[in-house]
Amino acid sequence: MANAAKEAGAANTIVQADVSKNGTVKLNGTIPKNAKSPIIEVNLEDNQSGKTSYVKDVITAVSNKYHYAKINLVGHSMGNLQIANYINENYNNKKLPQINKVVSIAGHYNGYLGEEAGQKAKIKNKETGQPDIYSDGFKQLLPLRMHYPRQIEVLNIYGNKEDGSKSDGSVSVASAQSYKYLINGRAKSYHEVEIKGKNAQHSKLHENEEVDHLLIDLFMEIKIKNIDK
């Protein structure tokens, strides 16, 4: 996904950030002063715990070295909950860079299919995105409804394998769509894109060319029209 953005000319620098279990960040590579939309790929040694401090650890490490005032955040799967919790916990921290855009890919905001809410919950109000059942993780994120930063543009990408499960095989469409309720109309903009077919499977979404093109357009700040599906 990062390489696709670089090949398209949307970015010209990719740096890896390796994060240990205790939150120590090692940056592999350097960002030149003339870098265009540099990308920081985050590799977590512990990528299953959902530890929310990892996002702050990386942002702090990058900010201390490069002093960026504004950033964009792209997450896949568990990374989306880490980003959402980071915003929930640090929305008023003026020492951290301002978030301009958030791209969520396959976000299980209201649980995985193996969890009760993730399996059974439906969107009861399409206008607000409110689900009829809340997972514990979703309840933890509800304060975002009061303080989600108003300058953030949100792109919510999720998969539907069209096999009757209404899911990407791991996350239901309804669970991903529940992100809308959490931002509560506060975000500067909110768009949803449903990726369909066999390549919409959970782990394939970050290798999906349609997703690549959406991100490239976003990085190049091309206005995306008729993005809601």
Side-chain angles (χ1 to χ4, degrees), residues 20 22-23 30 35 46 53 102 123 128 139 143 152 206-207 213 223 228:
S20 69
N22 65 7
T30 58
D46 177 13
S53 61
V102 169
I123 299 298
T128 66
K139 292 175 184 176
I152 298 179
H206 56 70
E207 306 292 339
H213 290 311
K223 187 174 182 181
D228 291 291

Side-chain angles (χ1 to χ4, degrees), residues 56-72:
K56 185 176 182 180
D57 292 334
V58 174
I59 291 174
T60 300
V62 173
S63 296
N64 287 344
K65 187 170 183 178
Y66 296 105
H67 311 291
Y68 289 115
K70 298 180 180 180
I71 58 174
N72 302 321

Side-chain angles (χ1 to χ4, degrees), residues 34 78 102 125 135 143 154 158 184 186 195 198 208-209:
N34 63 344
M78 182 68 76
V102 169
N125 187 326
S135 69
V154 177
Y158 49 86
N184 189 31
R186 291 180 56 90
I195 308 296
K198 63 180 182 180
N208 186 295
E209 289 187 5

Side-chain angles (χ1 to χ4, degrees), residues 3 36 51 62 67 77 80 84 100 112 116 122 130 144 148 154 158 161 174 193 200 213 216 229:
N3 287 331
K36 177 183 179 181
K51 187 176 180 181
V62 173
H67 311 291
S77 194
N80 295 300
N100 277 357
Y112 277 117
E116 182 177 5
K122 302 290 186 290
Q130 184 179 14
L144 284 173
Y148 197 89
V154 177
Y158 49 86
K161 296 198 303 177
V193 176
H213 290 311
I216 288 165
K229 296 182 180 179

Side-chain angles (χ1 to χ4, degrees), residues 72-88:
N72 302 321
L73 299 175
V74 180
H76 174 264
S77 194
M78 182 68 76
N80 295 300
L81 291 190
Q82 293 172 338
I83 288 171
N85 276 289
Y86 166 79
I87 296 172
N88 198 25

Side-chain angles (χ1 to χ4, degrees), residues 1 4 205-217:
M1 194 162 58
L205 280 171
H206 56 70
E207 306 292 339
N208 186 295
E209 289 187 5
E210 189 175 352
V211 175
D212 289 345
H213 290 311
L214 288 167
L215 290 176
I216 288 165
D217 287 351

Side-chain angles (χ1 to χ4, degrees), residues 18-32:
D18 294 330
V19 186
S20 69
K21 288 183 179 181
N22 65 7
T24 300
V25 179
K26 179 183 179 182
L27 297 175
N28 299 304
T30 58
I31 302 174

